[in-house]
Amino acid sequence: MNRSGVFSGVLNEIDSVFARDPAARSRAEILLCYPGVHAVIFYRMYHWLWRKGFKLLARFLSMLGRFFTGIEIHPGAKVGKRFFIDHGMGTVIGETAAIGDDVTIYHDVTLGGVSPVDDKKGALRHPQIGNNVIIGSGAQLLGPIRVGNNARIGSNAVVVKDIEAGSTVVGIPARAVIEKTVSHDQHFDAYAGTPQAEEADPVVAMLDKLQNDIANLKMRVNELETENSELVNSARKWEAK
């Protein structure tokens, strides 16, 4: 392991926090007080051991990291540069998960599998996350799904299907909202994934459409009754008998 490379990598991780957390005041504070940063430092060490074949030692160290941070990252997972876990408690990242660069996730997020059995050796069981993705607190991403670059996943969303690049999804199961998200490079929106306007929520939009359809049907029925008032009155007389 190149010491200078490791040191510069840690500084890079720490500096990336400043752009994404307005509460960060100094490098020292981030290094000492951010469990998400501690978890990533732990991960970099035991992932290196995992790749070198020291799998039991890597697993043991990962459990130590989990004990101290409340964050579980499997040594086999692949994590890109400048990965930030904000708050972090309860976060779980599975063995075959892959995470791109500049990804931010919040507490209670799970990148998990849906099958306890490997169909074949080396098969992907966990999510594959692109670059510049934000995953809100409590979100559950399950199975070998793919999340495109710059996607946003709302808090408490349950994602079981692929997500297109640049889209925002919310709900259970997760559905794309109407609005497009702002590029991660232009603006960092903490806890992104929550629609900024009520009409952007797919459930609200669907209910609004149903209400409009019902109102239109009522208007059309009233028009037909007016046009055929004699037939309507006759039918009502028969119904009354």
Side-chain angles (χ1 to χ4, degrees), residues 137-156:
S137 59
Q140 310 294 303
L141 286 70
L142 306 174
I145 59 175
R146 295 189 178 275
V147 178
N149 296 338
N150 302 302
R152 304 292 184 262
I153 299 171
S155 298
N156 297 315

Side-chain angles (χ1 to χ4, degrees), residues 185-200:
D185 294 330
Q186 297 172 337
H187 172 68
F188 180 80
D189 188 5
Y191 294 96
T194 302
Q196 299 303 308
E198 188 178 77
E199 62 271 17

Side-chain angles (χ1 to χ4, degrees), residues 174-204:
R175 298 180 179 88
V177 301
I178 296 170
E179 61 186 6
K180 285 288 185 180
T181 59
V182 178
S183 170
H184 182 95
D185 294 330
Q186 297 172 337
H187 172 68
F188 180 80
D189 188 5
Y191 294 96
T194 302
Q196 299 303 308
E198 188 178 77
E199 62 271 17
D201 190 309
V203 176
V204 172

Side-chain angles (χ1 to χ4, degrees), residues 50-108:
W50 179 271
R51 289 190 293 107
K52 294 298 181 181
F54 301 102
K55 296 189 183 299
L56 178 58
L57 179 58
R59 285 286 285 163
F60 176 72
L61 290 177
S62 73
M63 290 301 98
L64 286 180
R66 178 188 180 189
F67 176 79
F68 285 111
T69 66
I71 299 167
E72 181 176 340
I73 308 177
H74 194 284
K78 298 177 181 178
V79 176
K81 300 175 182 178
R82 297 174 296 280
F83 178 46
F84 179 36
I85 307 173
D86 199 359
H87 305 296
M89 181 63 71
T91 296
V92 177
I93 299 174
E95 178 183 4
T96 62
I99 299 173
D101 297 335
D102 301 298
V103 171
T104 302
I105 67 176
Y106 291 84
H107 52 282
D108 290 324

Side-chain angles (χ1 to χ4, degrees), residues 20-37:
R20 289 179 269 183
D21 187 2
R25 294 177 176 83
S26 68
R27 284 177 171 174
E29 180 185 13
I30 292 171
L31 184 61
L32 294 173
C33 304
Y34 278 59
V37 173

